[in-house]
Amino acid sequence: NDCSSNIDTMDLSYNSISTFPADTTYNMPALKNVYFGHNQLTDVPGYAFTNVSNLEVVDFSYNNLSVFELWA
């Protein structure tokens, strides 16, 4: 049993992240809140939230996004 499957909130704000860590959010069915604000992201791939269907809050504010693929 993978313990990451029980995480409901992920806050990676203020970490100078420039490449979205898609393997971090992939297949996390309990994930409800995602905070990636105040980083250096330029894109978020569509497959990043595969098997993540309970999202309520998604925050990518204060990044440099030019590509944001809809995954829903």
Side-chain angles (χ1 to χ4, degrees):
N1 189 7
D2 185 6
C3 65
S4 67
S5 65
N6 296 320
I7 295 172
D8 68 356
T9 299
M10 177 181 294
D11 188 348
L12 295 174
S13 300
Y14 297 96
N15 279 291
S16 300
I17 299 170
S18 58
T19 303
F20 187 81
D23 58 335
T24 304
T25 57
Y26 179 80
N27 201 21
M28 295 182 72
L31 193 61
K32 291 183 180 180
N33 308 297
V34 177
Y35 302 97
F36 277 93
H38 298 272
N39 282 296
Q40 300 168 358
L41 295 170
T42 58
D43 70 303
V44 177
Y47 62 85
F49 294 100
T50 300
N51 295 331
V52 179
S53 59
N54 292 317
L55 286 177
E56 295 175 4
V57 176
V58 179
D59 180 5
F60 285 98
S61 60
Y62 299 98
N63 278 282
N64 297 315
L65 291 175
S66 58
V67 176
F68 191 100
E69 297 179 30
L70 294 177
W71 62 88

